[in-house]
């Protein structure tokens, strides 16, 4: 029978409990198993076979050789390959990168291979001691502190201690106050509430600032718009970040103007702030059939036919509308600035 | 140090002389004695921290290269250079110098790409390293403070990545900053002022890039470097943890000496990590800013993704329904931004930072631990970790919902709807499932210890009964499965003492106990020797009934099985 394979006469309980000791339970059996101790070391091929060791050594040498080759490839690429066109740049990048990679991987793999196959792999056991210092050391440390406090003679001098703490707590203000004070420059946060649009400012194409005639805007089309005179602003990008507008022409029958905004559109042409009311990305994607504007950042979706109200996504407020009309030459112009702050919400937005 | 008995070679003599010179001036001998043969345990998962370390070194090397050519300025300039499509465009010096660095500096593009890949790998390895520390319980006493140091490194890593990503001033990075501005403005009361403080006035202003640059190349790296120093100091002080196994206890450390094995392995591994990053920089394009164009507040491209470690924030912003914004007494409170961008990440990160302290409190365990846990043996912790990861993963998915929608041709709105629910349901489901899996793995361990391996050998008894022969575990295999202790819920003292006086601190104890029950109520105890003996004698009973008497002593059965006795010393015959 198969179980006779081993000429084995150990009583079976012994198989389970070999080496067991420690607390012994009621039945004379220990409460927990005991650690059998480290497993015996198993030699590697290169430990037993000098040929394998020699082979490992040769492989290590070859790997270091690969590294040297890599450096040579890198230097050759650096000195020989021109830049100039995009293909040339990619070629140079590939050559230098591969050269560098092999230079490094050669060294790395050689060192690891060496360590794994040729260095001793006998595990070493070291003791651990509790992290806390010994009671004697602790006692000396406490004593040292007590002595120091006594030497400092501050024990009952409350005012002195208070003065020390107070001066230490206050002096960082000399650095923090001007730093914070200057970081915000003029701190005039009311600028959030105004844009470059004024009554009569022509709507112009972004980025080449050509004014737009109402007759040029066909139904269903979208124009990215900036104020015509934006370049005159002192900080062009700051103003542009607030003043960008989307101009969209709908079939007038599709348009449902909000109460009070009946005169804000011109023959189905509406202008809305392009700055998302969520956290400020440009709302750039327009879907003709649904009249939906989609913000690519977090997908807030605004319905242009109904006052750009939010139909989906994390934004709460509709896009602010820019009231427009045409001037005597037929160009689209703003009737005024936006009537509410554009872009993301902030605490005092409605104040 | 100079007493060599064999005749020294020339290099040997030179080395000895140098060592002697140094030691007389620095007493370096003491440090060498202390550290040279320090023992480190070996396991692949201990390399994760090293990957983080070496990608950080790679970041320093490639970053220093970039600083020589990058111009951190928002002054406007007109582009002239080899990249024809940008000819004559207005852009900031920052963007123009990034183009120059990519196209006109030999090796510049390589260094840029290596730097960016290294940043991504750095963050990935920190996160995976943190997972390894978490799931194995390496954060337990005495390492709680090192967990906090590591956590701070994670936050600093995010800061480094964010500030670096914003420097080239292309359309993508500018949009990222615009989102930052929107988030900052949503903070109650001080939001607008904070935004002014960051941008030096209105967005985008002309101050931001020089400011980010100082943070990116000086403040954050200096802090990271200092904290890595502290982190590794702690590792040396505590000595590295080790996985459970025979001979490995809380009182020893089993492994290989620092010199020479780890000097070679770890040193070599640095070159491997750097080499792999170089290979990535050589073959995989990353952040080709020339395709995006210089920053302008107007254009934006759909499908643009932030770096992966920011995706969860993006996803969190996307999932939040907009209705949450409220106006109170005329003041606007943008909960639709605050909750996803501040509260949710704040909660996730606080849970991570504080977990070791919570666990220490509710397990009541004050001992030092140097032998790691097998994740299955701590079902609550493992399940909790998986739940947090699941929440994080749902947010990452949400951050890519547009890509999912276009790739799988699904409706964006549907995906968002499903993910909104998943954010709440999936972590709970993951928690429950992981806990079940852990408990059943533990039961399987018990089964193995009690009844041994199935040997696939069927034996027929004279009575006609068939039985499979089981091979008992050798003592090393068994030890791995019985060495742990199952933590039990806290016992607390009663509310009133013997004289019926209400005890102070009872309520907080009771709370701890409730949490503790939640942590540790379900558990599987490891097999005790008594149970093993019982299992065997039970098996023997079966055997005795079934087989001829003279064979009985050789048969050690477990339950309905026969166990084949093997020589426990023959470790190499294990299945
Ligand atoms: C800058 C990023 C980081 C670097 C360079 C780094 C590096 C390292 C290295 C080389 C080790 C020793 C080897 C190992 O166990 O992997 C280590 C250990 C450790 N790390 Fe980190 N780490 C970083 C971030 C973190 C984070 C984010 C955490 C957790 C919040 C963390 C917690 C720990 C702990 C508790 C240990 C001791 C582990 C043990 O002894 O088993 N580290 N770290
Ligand atoms: S910025 Fe438009 S949806 Fe977030």
């Amino acid at each position: 029978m198969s179980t006779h394979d081993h000429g084995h006469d150990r009583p079976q309980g012994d198989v389970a409990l070999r080496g067991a000791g420690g607390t012994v339970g009621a039945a004379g059996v220990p409460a927990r198993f005991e650690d059998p101790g480290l497993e015996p070391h198993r030699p590697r091929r290169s430990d037993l076979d000098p040929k394998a060791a020699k082979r490992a050594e040769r492989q290590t040498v070859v790997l270091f050789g690969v590294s040297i080759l890599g450096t040579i490839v890198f230097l050759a690429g650096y000195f020989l390959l021109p830049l100039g066109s995009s293909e040339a740049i990619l070629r140079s990048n590939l050559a230098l990168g591969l050269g560098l990679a092999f230079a490094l991987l050669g060294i790395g793999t050689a060192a690891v291979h060496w360590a794994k196959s040729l260095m001793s792999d006998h595990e070493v056991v070291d003791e651990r001691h509790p992290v806390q210092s010994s009671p004697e050391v602790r006692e000396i440390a406490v004593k040292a502190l007590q002595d120091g406090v006594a030497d400092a003679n501050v024990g009952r001098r409350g005012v002195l201690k208070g003065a020390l703490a107070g001066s230490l707590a206050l002096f960082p203000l000399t650095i923090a106050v001007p730093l914070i004070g200057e970081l915000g420059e003029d701190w005039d946060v009311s600028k959030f509430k105004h844009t470059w649009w004024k009554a009569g400012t022509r709507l112009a194409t972004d980025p080449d600032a050509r004014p737009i005639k109402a007759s040029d805007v066909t139904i269903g089309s979208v124009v990215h718009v900036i104020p015509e005179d934006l370049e005159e602003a002192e900080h062009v990008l700051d103003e542009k970040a607030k003043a960008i507008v989307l101009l969209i022409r709908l079939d007038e029958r599709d348009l449902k103007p909000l109460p009070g905004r009946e005169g804000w559109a011109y023959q189905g042409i509406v202008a809305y702030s392009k700055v998302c009311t969520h956290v400020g990305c440009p709302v750039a994607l327009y879907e003709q059939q649904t009249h939906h504007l989609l913000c690519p950042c977090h997908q807030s979706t605004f319905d242009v036919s109904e006052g750009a109200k939010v139909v989906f996504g994390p934004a709460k407020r509709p896009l602010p509308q820019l009231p427009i009309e045409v001037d005597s030459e037929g160009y689209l112009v703003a009737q005024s600035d936006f009537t509410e702050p554009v872009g993301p919400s902030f605490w005092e937005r409605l104040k | 140090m100079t007493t060599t008995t064999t005749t020294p070679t020339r290099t040997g003599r030179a080395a000895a002389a140098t060592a002697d010179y140094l030691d007389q001036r620095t007493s370096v001998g003491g440090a060498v004695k202390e550290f040279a043969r320090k023992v480190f345990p070996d396991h692949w998962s201990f390399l994760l921290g090293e990957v983080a370390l070496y990608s950080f070194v790679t970041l320093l090397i490639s970053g220093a290269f970039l600083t020589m050519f990058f111009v951190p300025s928002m002054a406007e300039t007109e582009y002239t250079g080899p990249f024809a499509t940008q000819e004559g465009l207005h852009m900031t010096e920052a963007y123009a110098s990034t183009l120059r660095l990519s196209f006109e500096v030999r090796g510049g593009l390589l260094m840029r790409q290596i730097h960016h890949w290294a940043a991504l790998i750095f963050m990935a390895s920190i996160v995976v390293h943190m997972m390894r520390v978490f799931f194995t319980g390496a954060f337990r006493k005495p390492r709680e403070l090192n967990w906090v140091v590591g956590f701070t490194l994670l936050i600093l890593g995010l800061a480094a990545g964010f500030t670096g990503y914003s420097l080239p001033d292309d359309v993508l990075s500018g949009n990222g900053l615009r989102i930052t501005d929107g988030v900052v403005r949503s903070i109650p009361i001080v939001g607008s002022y904070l935004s002014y403080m960051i941008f030096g006035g209105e967005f985008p202003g002309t101050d931001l890039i020089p400011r980010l640059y100082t943070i990116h190349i000086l403040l954050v790296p200096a802090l990271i470097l200092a904290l890595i120093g502290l982190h590794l100091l702690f590792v040396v002080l505590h000595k590295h943890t080790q996985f459970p196994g025979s001979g490995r206890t809380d009182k020893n450390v089993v492994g290989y000496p620092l010199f020479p094995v780890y000097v070679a392995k770890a040193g070599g591994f640095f070159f491997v990590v750097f080499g792999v990053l170089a290979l990535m920089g050589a073959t995989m394009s990353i952040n080709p800013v020339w395709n995006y164009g210089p920053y302008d507040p107007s254009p934006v491209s759909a499908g643009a993704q932030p770096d992966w470690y920011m995706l969860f924030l993006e996803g969190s912003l996307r999932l939040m329904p907009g209705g949450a914004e409220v106006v109170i007494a005329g003041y606007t409170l943008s909960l639709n931004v605050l909750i996803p961008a501040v509260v949710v990440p704040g909660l996730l990160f606080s849970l991570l930072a504080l977990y070791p302290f919570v666990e220490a409190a509710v397990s009541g365990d004050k001992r030092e631990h140097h032998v790691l846990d097998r994740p299955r043996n701590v079902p609550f912790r493992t399940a909790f970790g998986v739940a947090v990861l699941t929440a994080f993963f749902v947010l990452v998915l949400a951050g890519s919902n547009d890509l999912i929608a276009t790739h799988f041709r699904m409706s964006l709105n549907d995906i968002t709807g499903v993910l909104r629910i998943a954010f709440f349901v999936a972590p709970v489901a993951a928690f429950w499932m992981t806990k079940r899996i852990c408990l059943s793995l533990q039961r399987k361990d018990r089964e193995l210890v009690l009844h041994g391996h199935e040997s696939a050998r069927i034996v027929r008894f004279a009575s006609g009964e068939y039985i499979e022969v089981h091979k008992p575990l050798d003592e090393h295999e068994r030890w791995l499965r019985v060495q742990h202790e199952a933590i039990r819920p806290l016992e607390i003292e009663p509310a009133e003492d013997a004289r019926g006086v209400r005890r102070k601190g009872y309520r907080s104890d009771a709370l701890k106990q409730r949490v503790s029950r939640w942590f540790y109520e379900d558990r599987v105890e490891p097999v005790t020797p008594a149970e093993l003996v019982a299992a065997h004698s039970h098996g023997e009973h079966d055997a005795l009934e079934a087989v001829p008497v003279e064979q009985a002593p050789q048969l050690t059965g477990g339950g309905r099985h026969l166990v084949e006795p093997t020589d426990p010393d023959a470790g190499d015959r294990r299945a």
Side-chain angles (χ1 to χ4, degrees):
Chain A
M1 220 172 124
S2 57
T3 45
H4 283 274
D5 291 355
H6 320 285
H8 206 298
D9 51 13
R10 209 195 298 279
Q12 45 193 279
D14 200 11
V15 176
L17 301 176
R18 213 176 71 95
T23 3
V24 174
V29 181
R32 284 182 62 80
F33 284 96
E34 194 161 89
D35 184 351
L38 282 184
E39 286 189 62
H41 176 253
R42 267 175 260 167
R44 296 165 297 191
R45 292 266 307 278
S46 52
D47 293 334
L48 303 175
D49 175 5
K51 276 218 224 83
K54 196 74 202 153
R55 197 166 342 112
E57 184 184 337
R58 259 196 321 264
Q59 286 161 343
T60 308
V61 172
V62 168
L63 287 171
F64 280 124
V66 167
S67 164
I68 295 174
L69 262 178
T71 304
I72 294 173
V73 168
F74 184 97
L75 292 176
Y78 179 81
F79 287 111
L80 301 180
L81 292 179
L83 299 183
S85 65
S86 14
E87 297 80 64
I89 288 163
L90 289 184
R91 204 179 318 122
S92 156
N93 185 62
L94 188 65
L96 299 187
L98 289 181
L100 178 58
F102 280 105
L104 296 165
L105 287 172
I107 299 178
T109 48
V112 173
H113 188 54
W114 183 357
K116 285 206 152 172
S117 57
L118 295 175
M119 289 182 183
S120 160
D121 76 332
H122 283 266
E123 282 186 318
V124 181
V125 183
D126 216 352
E127 277 176 46
R128 286 182 198 269
H129 305 286
V131 173
Q132 68 173 30
S133 24
S134 66
E136 302 82 64
V137 170
R138 283 184 169 210
E139 204 172 302
I140 296 169
V142 170
K143 181 80 173 38
L145 289 180
Q146 282 165 345
D147 290 353
V149 171
D151 284 355
N153 262 323
V154 290
R156 247 171 257 107
R157 296 193 169 85
V159 180
L160 176 58
K161 276 190 279 188
L164 171 71
S167 56
L168 280 180
L170 286 180
F171 105 89
L173 290 179
T174 59
I175 295 160
V177 167
L179 177 63
I180 295 173
E182 295 310 296
L183 277 175
E185 309 219 326
D186 64 5
W187 294 109
D188 179 10
V189 296
S190 70
K191 287 187 208 158
F192 285 162
K193 296 182 183 169
H194 310 287
T195 77
W196 198 248
W197 294 104
K198 293 174 286 289
T201 307
R202 279 186 179 160
L203 279 70
T205 55
D206 177 21
D208 41 10
R210 274 181 296 107
I212 304 163
K213 280 204 159 121
S215 50
D216 296 342
V217 187
T218 53
I219 289 185
S221 67
V222 190
V223 190
H224 296 261
V225 166
I226 50 175
E228 186 188 12
D229 56 353
L230 184 67
E231 280 299 319
E232 290 161 24
E234 194 186 343
H235 300 293
V236 176
L237 281 191
D238 295 10
E239 291 305 335
K240 185 169 183 181
K242 291 184 293 182
I244 44 178
V245 155
L246 277 174
L247 193 70
I248 297 161
R249 183 163 197 163
L250 310 179
D251 190 328
E252 265 184 286
R253 282 163 302 182
D254 291 339
L255 208 54
K256 297 174 209 105
L258 300 187
R261 295 194 183 174
E262 289 82 2
W264 286 22
Y266 179 79
Q267 294 182 352
I269 304 178
V270 283
Y272 283 101
S273 165
K274 194 172 150 185
V275 192
C276 188
T277 56
H278 180 222
V279 285
C281 284
V283 181
L285 311 175
Y286 182 60
E287 237 180 34
Q288 245 187 45
Q289 294 87 12
T290 53
H291 315 301
H292 284 175
L293 271 174
L294 176 79
C295 178
C297 283
H298 315 102
Q299 297 131 8
S300 289
T301 311
F302 305 89
D303 186 345
V304 181
S305 63
E306 277 194 75
K309 69 167 191 197
V310 179
V311 290
F312 181 75
K316 160 92 174 197
R317 289 176 294 104
L319 296 170
Q321 186 173 5
L322 184 72
I324 53 169
E325 58 193 2
V326 291
D327 65 9
S328 49
E329 294 168 58
Y331 288 107
L332 289 165
V333 296
Q335 294 180 25
S336 69
D337 192 358
F338 286 100
T339 56
E340 56 179 317
V342 300
S345 302
F346 49 96
W347 181 249
E348 61 277 33
R349 180 176 179 276
L350 299 175
K351 286 286 163 173
Chain B
M1 292 189 98
T2 46
T3 50
T4 348
T5 41
T6 51
T7 23
T9 59
R10 256 186 63 201
T11 33
R13 269 200 312 271
T18 314
D20 183 44
Y21 181 93
L22 278 180
D23 190 47
Q24 291 197 31
R25 283 152 188 86
T26 61
S27 72
V28 69
V32 171
K33 165 176 162 270
E34 182 67 21
F35 292 115
R37 300 292 280 178
K38 216 161 169 72
V39 172
F40 281 89
D42 212 12
H43 191 266
W44 64 265
S45 71
F46 300 164
L47 291 180
L48 294 165
E50 282 186 54
V51 178
L53 180 63
Y54 301 147
S55 21
F56 182 68
V57 176
T58 307
L59 283 167
L60 290 181
I61 296 172
S62 54
F65 183 99
L66 300 182
T67 58
M68 301 294 143
F69 305 97
F70 178 76
V71 184
S73 156
M74 293 174 94
E76 203 176 285
T77 167
E78 203 166 300
Y79 183 73
T80 50
F83 202 68
T85 57
Q86 314 264 320
E87 192 68 36
L89 277 189
H90 288 265
M91 55 184 64
T92 57
E93 292 272 14
Y95 184 75
S97 64
T98 309
L99 293 187
R100 212 174 312 125
L101 184 50
S102 306
F103 299 142
E104 295 166 60
V105 176
R106 275 166 210 249
L109 179 60
L110 181 65
M111 284 298 162
R112 265 196 67 225
Q113 305 208 120
I114 290 179
H115 193 71
H116 204 133
W117 280 122
L120 299 188
I121 299 291
F122 176 61
M123 288 310 296
S125 53
I126 292 186
V127 170
V128 184
H129 167 60
M130 192 169 180
M131 279 157 59
R132 143 24 214 139
V133 169
F134 183 87
F135 287 115
T136 59
F139 57 74
R140 290 171 300 166
K141 189 180 169 187
R143 295 182 180 75
E144 303 98 320
L145 296 184
N146 212 16
W147 170 267
V148 175
V149 173
F151 173 80
T152 315
L153 281 168
L154 172 76
I155 302 296
L156 286 170
L158 287 174
F162 175 77
T163 52
Y165 186 78
S166 304
L167 287 177
D169 206 23
D170 57 286
V171 165
L172 277 192
S173 71
N175 260 314
L177 290 171
R178 177 111 226 205
I179 294 175
T180 311
D181 175 46
V183 170
V184 170
R185 282 204 218 176
S186 75
I187 296 170
I189 307 173
V190 293
S192 309
Y193 296 94
L194 278 179
S195 162
Y196 259 56
M197 191 169 130
I198 292 170
F199 293 94
E202 280 194 283
F203 172 87
T206 51
D207 291 339
L208 187 64
I209 286 187
R211 288 180 182 178
L212 288 178
Y213 187 66
T214 305
I215 297 174
H216 183 73
I217 73 154
L218 179 71
L219 294 183
V220 173
L223 284 174
I224 292 185
L225 210 53
L227 286 184
I228 289 182
L230 185 59
H231 199 64
L232 297 184
L233 186 78
F234 272 131
V235 172
V236 170
L237 180 78
H238 297 143
K239 299 186 175 150
H240 204 287
T241 50
Q242 51 198 349
F243 273 94
S246 28
R248 279 142 238 259
T249 71
D250 279 332
K251 296 209 162 47
N252 72 7
V253 47
V254 182
Y256 301 105
L258 183 65
F259 180 75
V261 178
Y262 276 100
V263 169
K265 271 195 191 170
F269 194 53
F270 162 68
F271 286 94
V272 171
V273 171
F274 195 174
V276 169
L277 290 170
L279 202 60
M280 294 171 84
T283 54
M284 294 192 273
S285 156
I286 184 160
N287 206 21
V289 290
W290 50 91
N291 288 342
Y292 313 144
Y295 180 62
D296 178 316
S298 183
V300 72
S301 51
Q305 298 276 304
D307 278 347
W308 75 265
Y309 48 83
M310 286 289 166
L311 267 180
F312 78 102
L313 264 182
E314 185 88 348
S316 168
L317 280 166
R318 285 179 185 185
L319 285 191
M320 187 74 195
E325 180 172 305
V326 290
V327 175
I328 303 167
Y331 290 103
T332 309
L333 187 59
S334 298
L335 291 176
N336 58 337
V337 178
L338 270 179
I339 291 178
V342 181
V343 178
V344 167
L347 266 172
L348 282 180
F349 282 118
S350 309
L351 279 179
L352 275 185
L354 297 180
Y355 186 84
F357 303 97
V358 176
E359 194 184 285
V362 302
S363 65
D365 186 355
K366 304 215 163 42
R367 294 167 302 172
E368 284 188 11
H369 292 280
H370 303 287
V371 174
L372 295 170
D373 284 322
R374 301 171 82 209
R376 68 183 62 176
N377 290 339
V378 206
F380 179 89
R381 180 204 295 150
T382 305
F384 177 81
V386 172
V388 171
L389 280 179
T390 308
F392 184 82
F393 186 65
V394 170
L395 294 182
V396 170
L397 279 185
S400 331
N401 61 356
D402 44 349
L403 296 191
I404 302 174
T406 43
H407 196 81
F408 297 102
R409 297 170 183 286
M410 294 198 288
S411 140
L412 197 87
N413 301 15
D414 292 349
I415 296 175
T416 305
V418 169
L419 290 178
R420 275 178 185 163
I421 298 169
F423 180 68
F424 293 98
V425 176
V428 178
F431 179 88
W432 186 82
M433 256 159 48
T434 311
K435 203 166 151 193
R436 293 295 116 197
I437 293 174
C438 286
L439 291 171
S440 52
L441 281 174
Q442 280 185 276
R443 281 189 207 104
K444 213 180 116 212
D445 278 348
R446 278 185 62 91
E447 187 70 14
L448 260 179
V449 171
L450 289 175
H451 306 313
H453 297 289
E454 291 170 7
S455 66
R457 256 195 319 177
I458 311 288
V459 177
R460 182 167 176 266
F461 288 108
S463 63
E465 188 183 3
Y466 287 93
I467 268 178
E468 182 173 11
V469 178
H470 275 217
K471 192 167 161 247
L473 305 193
D474 75 43
E475 54 192 349
H476 301 292
E477 288 178 290
R478 184 194 316 129
W479 174 246
L480 180 65
R481 291 166 178 84
V482 299
Q483 46 79 32
H484 63 287
E485 286 170 39
I487 306 171
R488 297 172 192 190
L490 274 184
E491 308 277 345
I492 61 172
E493 288 170 32
E496 289 161 5
D497 65 14
R499 277 166 293 137
V501 181
R502 261 194 98 77
R503 182 164 70 81
K504 262 213 298 204
Y506 172 73
R507 291 172 123 242
S508 85
D509 280 1
L511 174 71
K512 261 195 224 164
Q513 187 183 40
R514 243 182 324 217
V515 182
S516 182
R517 287 220 182 104
W518 188 43
F519 270 51
Y520 301 120
E521 195 84 280
D522 296 336
R523 64 181 179 279
V524 175
E525 302 274 350
V527 176
T528 63
E531 286 174 314
L532 186 60
V533 171
H536 280 196
S537 56
H538 175 55
E540 191 182 356
H541 262 42
D542 281 358
L544 283 175
E545 282 162 17
V547 283
V549 176
E550 76 273 16
Q551 291 179 358
Q554 274 80 31
L555 290 172
T556 51
R560 300 211 20 80
H561 308 292
L562 267 180
V563 174
E564 178 179 35
T566 46
D567 182 358
D569 294 333
D572 52 346
R573 263 202 274 113
R574 280 179 299 151

